[in-house]
Amino acid sequence: MAGSDGRAMLRSVGLHEGEDVLISRRRSAGDTSGRRHRGLLTTSLVTAIAAVVIGFATPAIAAVGAAPTTPAQTADSRLTSTYLPSDADIENPERGLYTSFNSTWDMTDSRLANVAKSGQTIVHFGIDLSDYRTRVIDTTLQLSIQAAFDGLRKYGLKGWVHITYSPDFDPDAGPNGTKYLTSCPDTTKVYPVDQVPSNVDTTLAWVQTHLSELKGTLAHNDDAIMGFDAGMIGEWGEWHCSAHQLLAPGNKEKVIAALLQNLPADKQIALRHPYDVIDPAVYGVQGPSITWSDPSSRFTDYQDCYASLSPSDEGTWVTNLTNEPQADQAEISKLKADIGVLGQSHIIGGNACRSSERSTCPVAVTGSPDPSDTTPFPLLADAPELPNMHFTYLNGSMNPKQTANADYVKGGCWQQITKELGYRLQLTSSDLPATVAPDATEHVTIALTNVGWASIVNPRPAYLVLDGAGGKYRIPLAADPRSWAAGASSAVDEDVTMPADLAAGDYTAALWLPDASDTLRGDPAYAVQFANTDTWNAAEGYNVLGTVSVAAIIPTPTPTPTPTPTPTPTPSATGTPTPAAAAAATDAPAASTALAATGYAAAPALIALGVAAVALIIGALAVGLRSRRRS
């Protein structure tokens, strides 16, 4: 009994101990499972949070080292400069003093070299037809004309061309000591040869023939031509008297038509007398809608005896010298005012004639009308005449016995004349982008002033130049330099597009006004220099504005999509591929491309949210599983 009870007790004790062991194991297992669940949940939460943080941080991280965007145009990103004016005498093309040659035969290489050394840029020369009045122009003369133009280009000069049959006419060389007429009031009259020698010009038919023969040579050399005198008629080609009635009504219009037809169409033609410039019979040949002051009119004025002994400048301001005694100051002032209007868009010039009471600085440059002067012809009635008429060029001859120029030297205004004839441009300020990018559109402002007496008249392009280690880039500007009026402030104010192949580095920014012709565009001698200190680059022919930078561009790489293998179709309940799964596999490359197109800015965030959601779901399942096991 005692033995049985002991064994039973032992079994009971063993049972309880086994149960305790089982319970202990279950508790241990439960504690381990709980720790696993809690660890899994913690891991899920950490994963979710990390995914969200990394996902939203990825775009910012990806931006580091990527291609920069175009900077905003703030005050700090602009280059603003101001410029100092210069008082130097600037040698600019198509303005200033000129040297004269009677014919192309006189234009030797050494003489043209001396013109260039003197600082002049214009040569007024004649095409001498005195030996061709009744015959065609031969190759000898054509070659002489071509050689003259070649010489002009060699020395950076332009020609003002005067075609005449009597370049050496001497009015004092009449028969038996008589003088020839230099004014013929009756244009239809045939004057005797002892009054108007027959060799001063030729017939209308020969005039038309000769102009036609010269057309090709002149067109070929259009780049070296500044403009033309009408020439052809009368003594010196100045339209005083014609031995062949070329000034008679009907004939004059035919000569005008021949000039328009055969001289280069982009060049102006200067008439000796202002009353011819405003004569409808003259300018009207161009068309019924053309007026004498129209910028499209090709006729302008060349005053061949400016500031001469007489109030009318020896016939300039009256219909002819015969009318000199009947000259009227009101008529003269009206014509000078008309030429002043014309000079705003046309090239006005002349030859300062013999020294006279009119060849003074107050009349030409520095004076103003004097109301107290009640004489019939007040000297200062139209002063200052050269600025008021917008003179572009004047003869540079300095013979004190024959020209008025010596009087201007004595009067102290010669330097002002040489500086202010024609245009004289000065940079005032500029506002440029300090940093530019290839193919970017940037705003450029360049302020300037024209302190000369006239504007640029012949067409001339304008460029913004970027010159640096990456090359020289010439960017055309829309600005028309002809619109920069005398005595006025103007500006280049426009958007420009940078070259697409603009290389990184620092560049000199410059304003370049070259010649309009392709043949002379690259010659710095024909480019316009602004009257400023420390801006002119003589070797390149441009005006320096400042230095701009082109930032290095690190291109954004285009991701290469990872090839996606064709997925094995997952059988559906019916055993056929799921259309959605197949579509997803097909669209994967397209989706990758779409993400790349957006710069992956949104994709990391979306992926992060997806990862976080999966992590949270796994954590929730772990918690649910533990709860079921406990129950």
Side-chain angles (χ1 to χ4, degrees):
M1 182 67 178
S4 299
D5 291 341
R7 286 190 296 271
M9 185 177 294
L10 289 172
R11 286 194 301 271
S12 176
V13 171
L15 178 61
H16 289 303
E17 289 177 349
E19 289 176 351
D20 289 342
V21 171
L22 179 61
I23 291 171
S24 177
R25 288 177 178 172
R26 288 179 177 173
R27 285 179 179 172
S28 177
D31 291 341
T32 302
S33 176
R35 283 193 298 270
R36 289 199 188 105
H37 294 161
R38 286 194 297 271
L40 183 58
L41 179 59
T42 301
T43 301
S44 300
L45 290 174
V46 171
T47 302
I49 293 170
V52 172
V53 171
I54 293 173
F56 282 97
T58 298
I61 296 171
V64 178
T69 57
T70 303
Q73 291 297 324
T74 64
D76 292 337
S77 64
R78 303 295 294 180
L79 176 67
T80 302
S81 304
T82 57
Y83 308 97
L84 295 176
S86 170
D87 195 43
D89 195 353
I90 306 296
E91 300 175 13
N92 265 325
E94 299 185 326
R95 62 148 301 276
L97 302 176
Y98 69 82
T99 293
S100 291
F101 295 102
N102 277 346
S103 73
T104 55
W105 305 107
D106 300 329
M107 297 169 64
T108 63
D109 185 84
S110 60
R111 288 176 176 175
L112 292 178
N114 288 334
V115 173
K117 289 178 182 178
S118 73
Q120 297 178 16
T121 63
I122 304 171
V123 172
H124 186 285
F125 71 93
I127 293 179
D128 182 3
L129 298 181
S130 57
D131 291 336
Y132 298 88
R133 291 186 184 91
T134 57
R135 65 187 181 101
V136 299
I137 296 173
D138 56 21
T139 303
T140 302
L141 180 58
Q142 295 280 19
L143 290 176
S144 174
I145 296 171
Q146 185 59 53
F149 282 120
D150 292 341
L152 293 177
R153 293 187 192 89
K154 179 179 178 180
Y155 292 105
L157 306 170
K158 290 263 184 161
W160 192 274
V161 185
H162 182 83
I163 308 173
T164 178
Y165 294 97
S166 53
D168 299 317
F169 175 74
D170 183 358
D172 297 325
N176 301 318
T178 61
K179 293 185 177 182
Y180 292 118
L181 294 178
T182 54
S183 179
C184 300
D186 187 351
T187 59
T188 63
K189 179 180 178 180
V190 178
Y191 287 87
V193 293
D194 61 343
Q195 295 180 355
V196 180
S198 61
N199 62 359
V200 297
D201 52 28
T202 188
T203 64
L204 175 62
W206 276 116
V207 168
Q208 294 169 326
T209 297
H210 290 152
L211 286 173
S212 176
E213 290 172 337
L214 291 172
K215 181 176 182 178
T217 300
L218 295 176
H220 179 69
N221 294 285
D222 184 36
D223 59 340
I225 296 173
M226 178 180 171
F228 291 89
D229 287 339
M232 309 304 292
I233 300 176
E235 304 101 326
W236 308 292
E238 291 185 20
W239 291 36
H240 295 308
C241 290
S242 172
H244 299 85
Q245 295 77 54
L246 296 179
L247 292 172
N251 287 345
K252 179 193 287 188
E253 290 86 340
K254 291 177 181 177
V255 173
I256 289 292
L259 291 169
L260 292 171
Q261 181 179 356
N262 294 290
L263 302 186
D266 62 336
K267 295 300 186 291
Q268 294 180 4
I269 304 169
L271 301 174
R272 169 68 176 86
H273 302 290
Y275 54 79
D276 280 326
V277 177
I278 64 173
D279 183 359
V282 175
Y283 69 75
V285 177
Q286 300 170 103
S289 62
I290 297 294
T291 64
W292 65 267
S293 60
D294 193 321
S296 64
S297 174
R298 291 180 59 190
F299 293 108
T300 186
D301 179 45
Y302 174 76
Q303 298 173 29
D304 210 329
C305 206
Y306 175 73
S308 71
L309 296 170
S310 64
S312 72
D313 290 351
E314 298 200 16
T316 297
W317 303 108
V318 293
T319 53
N320 55 61
L321 287 178
T322 304
N323 291 342
E324 183 74 36
Q326 291 78 40
D328 178 78
Q329 182 60 52
E331 175 189 359
I332 293 173
S333 294
K334 174 63 169 59
L335 281 172
K336 288 181 179 178
D338 288 343
I339 296 304
V341 172
L342 190 71
Q344 296 175 18
S345 57
H346 290 67
I347 301 173
I348 305 297
N351 171 38
C353 209
R354 288 174 287 278
S355 179
S356 74
E357 62 178 3
R358 281 185 24 82
S359 57
T360 67
C361 289
V363 171
V365 181
T366 62
S368 59
D370 181 5
S372 66
D373 187 348
T374 58
T375 59
F377 296 98
L379 288 176
L380 300 177
D382 306 296
E385 294 182 355
L386 297 182
N388 287 349
M389 289 187 284
H390 302 290
F391 260 58
T392 286
Y393 64 106
L394 193 71
N395 64 303
S397 173
M398 197 56 64
N399 185 336
K401 294 183 179 180
Q402 296 182 356
T403 72
N405 290 344
D407 293 337
Y408 301 136
V409 174
K410 294 176 183 177
C413 62
W414 182 245
Q415 289 301 316
Q416 184 179 358
I417 290 174
T418 60
K419 290 178 184 177
E420 298 182 9
L421 280 167
Y423 61 88
R424 184 178 175 88
L425 304 176
Q426 290 179 343
L427 293 169
T428 303
S429 64
S430 67
D431 183 56
L432 310 173
T435 303
V436 300
D439 209 27
T441 298
E442 304 285 359
H443 193 77
V444 171
T445 302
I446 305 170
L448 57 96
T449 302
N450 184 353
V451 296
W453 293 340
S455 62
I456 292 174
V457 175
N458 284 330
R460 183 172 290 272
Y463 292 84
L464 176 67
V465 175
L466 298 181
D467 190 356
K472 186 183 299 179
Y473 301 85
R474 300 177 179 92
I475 307 168
L477 297 171
D480 186 348
R482 293 176 297 179
S483 67
W484 302 340
S489 295
S490 303
V492 176
D493 190 19
E494 56 188 87
D495 290 331
V496 297
T497 300
M498 298 295 117
D501 60 345
L502 189 60
D506 291 337
Y507 288 82
T508 295
L511 181 59
W512 183 43
L513 272 61
D515 193 84
S517 68
D518 293 336
T519 53
L520 301 179
R521 185 165 300 177
D523 189 337
Y526 291 98
V528 172
Q529 176 182 352
F530 281 66
N532 292 94
T533 60
D534 302 324
T535 57
W536 179 241
N537 185 320
E540 299 293 341
Y542 57 54
N543 303 274
V544 176
L545 303 173
T547 301
V548 300
S549 298
V550 178
I553 301 299
I554 303 175
T556 301
T558 302
T560 303
T562 302
T564 304
T566 304
T568 301
T570 303
S572 64
T574 59
T576 58
T578 304
T586 303
D587 293 342
S592 177
T593 302
L595 288 175
T598 61
Y600 296 98
L606 295 175
I607 294 170
L609 291 175
V611 172
V614 172
L616 291 174
I617 291 171
I618 293 173
L621 290 175
V623 173
L625 178 61
R626 180 186 180 192
S627 298
R628 285 196 299 274
R629 287 183 176 178
R630 283 182 176 177
S631 62

